Amino acid sequence: MTDDNDFDLDARCEMPSLSDPDVANAALESFVDEEDRMNGGLAFLFCDRDGRLMQPVLVADVPKPASQEQRWSAMRWATGLCEMVSDEHSGPLGLLLAVVREEGPVCDEDREWHQVALDACAEVDAPFIGMHVVTMDGAVLLPTVRPDAGESAA
């Protein structure tokens, strides 16, 4: 994990939103260093409701492969934090999740993490910013179908 002592919390209001996949990928590239990628884990980027980064957290001790119960346990921990920091005006924090590993394309286990993240965020009404995979080759976004994407305009 990169130790960046130059991060200016006052500048957060001017930060671009991590809902932009290019911005999210750049943030992940900065946060997740080579050693993290070699060791693997999960990166949780906690954001305000506008998608501006508030706090990144890397969890390195993740079972491979993780069971459905373990995925839900990790996501309930993360969404619990989203709720704890919420207030009556802005609601829960938003969350971006990234699977971190040394190499490999997007796989079924990544998609399973993605689905659990979507479901867990929906349970607590926490904005789900996106799901990414970070490897030595870079960061990539997994596409998310929004609930209203299939609705046609009347």
Side-chain angles (χ1 to χ4, degrees), residues 2 23 28-29 48 51 58 64 72 91 99 105 113-114 118-119 126:
T2 304
V23 172
L28 286 163
E29 288 285 344
D48 66 15
L58 182 74
K64 298 171 199 149
W72 271 101
V99 171
W113 274 109
H114 189 189
L118 282 165
D119 294 343

Side-chain angles (χ1 to χ4, degrees), residues 62-139:
V62 179
K64 298 171 199 149
S67 69
Q68 189 74 343
E69 182 179 330
Q70 290 165 325
R71 282 190 283 276
W72 271 101
S73 179
M75 290 310 305
R76 287 210 168 105
W77 167 81
T79 57
L81 288 175
C82 289
E83 285 184 301
M84 279 193 285
V85 180
S86 72
D87 65 39
E88 61 192 50
H89 303 291
S90 64
L93 295 180
L95 181 64
L96 182 145
L97 175 65
V99 171
V100 178
R101 64 169 171 270
E102 184 177 0
E103 61 185 7
V106 172
C107 64
D108 288 342
E109 186 169 0
D110 302 328
R111 292 180 192 95
E112 291 168 6
W113 274 109
H114 189 189
Q115 188 60 56
V116 171
L118 282 165
D119 294 343
C121 285
E123 275 187 355
V124 299
D125 196 30
F128 183 64
I129 312 275
M131 172 74 191
H132 297 250
V133 174
V134 181
T135 67
M136 292 295 199
D137 293 329

Side-chain angles (χ1 to χ4, degrees), residues 10-47:
D10 294 329
R12 192 178 64 75
C13 292
E14 299 168 16
M15 293 171 64
S17 173
L18 295 184
S19 14
D20 177 334
D22 293 331
V23 172
N25 286 341
L28 286 163
E29 288 285 344
S30 296
F31 173 60
V32 182
D33 65 23
E34 185 176 314
E35 185 177 343
D36 296 330
R37 295 169 205 228
M38 295 290 288
N39 294 329
L42 293 173
F44 297 91
L45 277 60
F46 296 94
C47 304

Side-chain angles (χ1 to χ4, degrees), residues 3 106 140:
D3 182 20
V106 172
V140 296

